[in-house]
Amino acid sequence: VLLGVAATKSTLEALCADLVGTPHPQTIRGYFNDQLRVEDLPALEVQLNAALAAEVPRHVRRQRQEVAIDYHDRPYYGKGEQAHELWVRGKAKDGTTRFYRVATAYLILNGLRVTLAIHFVRPEDEAVGVVDGLLRRVQAQGIEVSCLLLDKGFESIALMAYLTRRGQAALIACPIRGTTGGTRALCQGRKSYATTYTFTDKQGHAFTAPLLVCRVFTTARRTGRLQRQADWLLFIELGLTLSPRYARHLYGHRFGIE
């Protein structure tokens, strides 16, 4: 049943209805609740990371790699307390703001995703701690990271300061905020360009970083519109000197596997 759920991305109910001789879905969930306990989660995470490390091709370690880190959310519809159920809050999706969240570090090899390390995100975890833990697991495998690619969920002053202190080159997708000010004020003109921008948070911390402002166009094939429309993408670059066009290509190639 587990293999069927993983292969078809279906549910226990659907698989048990299709497969002959399987127990009731609630019976299977009962076994899961008995065997997969919250206190055993750290040990299970160590075992999973060891299994992933054992399957990494040897030639990956021969040269520096571009590694992407991403969050993966699964909706949580229960009513349990956060400290016990270990769900985290996020933007509303699929009818809830509560999720089980897993962070993964991976690279793209010959068009396929190779997962290097995973981390189950707990309510008290901060982005800096998550990224630091994944990077340590990747480097423990003998893999050097030439460029770290992060999506919008990781954009924060604390993380940018951490990567700068570590000397880790990174390309971070930057959300567009504000109506007329903020980063939205940079989305002007008829072509892409590079600039610098000072980020501030509610605690008064500030961080100035190079910012790539990319002017892109939606395609009629993807959106169904009759005409192309201009749009903007922003990228924070740390320890890099990329052109806006190449930064967009690099980021899209790595995250396009999703």
Side-chain angles (χ1 to χ4, degrees), residues 141-156:
Q141 300 176 28
I143 300 174
E144 292 190 44
V145 182
S146 62
C147 178
L148 187 64
L149 303 170
L150 302 169
D151 73 353
K152 297 177 182 179
F154 291 92
E155 182 263 335
S156 69

Side-chain angles (χ1 to χ4, degrees), residues 25-88:
Q26 287 302 110
T27 302
I28 298 178
R29 287 194 175 91
Y31 285 121
F32 289 162
N33 290 332
D34 291 338
Q35 297 178 18
L36 303 177
R37 299 176 298 174
V38 172
E39 52 268 28
D40 296 333
L41 186 60
L44 178 61
E45 185 174 297
V46 170
Q47 294 172 1
L48 291 173
N49 279 295
L52 290 171
E55 294 299 322
V56 174
R58 291 183 179 180
H59 64 269
V60 169
R61 301 178 176 88
R62 296 173 186 170
Q63 59 185 1
R64 305 178 73 193
Q65 301 289 341
E66 297 161 351
V67 174
I69 293 180
D70 197 8
Y71 284 137
H72 305 270
D73 292 342
R74 298 291 293 180
Y76 171 78
Y77 298 108
K79 298 182 180 179
E81 295 183 0
Q82 185 178 26
H84 181 264
E85 298 295 330
L86 300 183
W87 49 265
V88 299

Side-chain angles (χ1 to χ4, degrees), residues 2-247:
L2 281 180
L3 289 174
V5 171
T8 64
K9 298 183 179 180
S10 185
T11 62
L12 284 175
E13 285 75 10
L15 261 296
C16 290
D18 292 340
L19 298 177
V20 178
T22 57
H24 193 276
Q26 287 302 110
T27 302
I28 298 178
R29 287 194 175 91
Y31 285 121
F32 289 162
N33 290 332
D34 291 338
Q35 297 178 18
L36 303 177
R37 299 176 298 174
V38 172
E39 52 268 28
D40 296 333
L41 186 60
L44 178 61
E45 185 174 297
V46 170
Q47 294 172 1
L48 291 173
N49 279 295
L52 290 171
E55 294 299 322
V56 174
R58 291 183 179 180
H59 64 269
V60 169
R61 301 178 176 88
R62 296 173 186 170
Q63 59 185 1
R64 305 178 73 193
Q65 301 289 341
E66 297 161 351
V67 174
I69 293 180
D70 197 8
Y71 284 137
H72 305 270
D73 292 342
R74 298 291 293 180
Y76 171 78
Y77 298 108
K79 298 182 180 179
E81 295 183 0
Q82 185 178 26
H84 181 264
E85 298 295 330
L86 300 183
W87 49 265
V88 299
R89 289 199 179 275
K91 292 184 178 180
K93 184 174 63 175
D94 297 330
T96 183
T97 59
R98 301 178 178 184
F99 304 93
Y100 287 129
R101 177 170 293 169
V102 174
T104 62
Y106 64 93
L107 54 85
I108 306 302
L109 188 63
N110 298 328
L112 297 176
R113 172 187 170 129
V114 178
T115 302
L116 304 173
I118 68 170
H119 174 71
F120 185 87
V121 181
R122 297 159 180 80
E124 66 275 11
D125 287 347
E126 299 290 342
V128 173
V130 172
V131 172
D132 180 70
L134 288 174
L135 281 177
R136 290 180 184 276
R137 291 187 184 277
V138 171
Q139 292 176 342
Q141 300 176 28
I143 300 174
E144 292 190 44
V145 182
S146 62
C147 178
L148 187 64
L149 303 170
L150 302 169
D151 73 353
K152 297 177 182 179
F154 291 92
E155 182 263 335
S156 69
I157 291 177
L159 183 59
M160 289 188 287
Y162 159 77
L163 293 174
T164 301
R165 292 194 304 269
R166 188 186 177 98
Q168 176 61 61
L171 186 67
I172 309 173
C174 179
I176 299 176
R177 298 191 178 98
T179 54
T180 57
T183 54
R184 189 173 297 277
L186 302 173
C187 303
Q188 298 179 7
R190 300 183 61 86
K191 61 181 181 179
S192 304
Y193 64 95
T195 184
T196 57
Y197 185 81
T198 300
F199 297 87
T200 57
D201 58 16
K202 296 180 180 179
Q203 289 73 35
H205 301 132
F207 188 89
T208 301
L211 195 66
L212 301 175
V213 184
C214 306
R215 190 170 189 250
V216 298
F217 291 90
T218 59
T219 62
R221 179 180 298 177
R222 180 172 64 86
T223 62
R225 299 190 182 102
L226 296 179
Q227 292 182 339
R228 297 197 308 167
Q229 291 190 359
D231 201 357
W232 295 91
L233 297 175
L234 305 182
F235 297 102
I236 304 166
E237 59 173 356
L238 302 175
L240 300 169
T241 54
L242 306 177
S243 67
R245 182 176 181 179
Y246 182 75

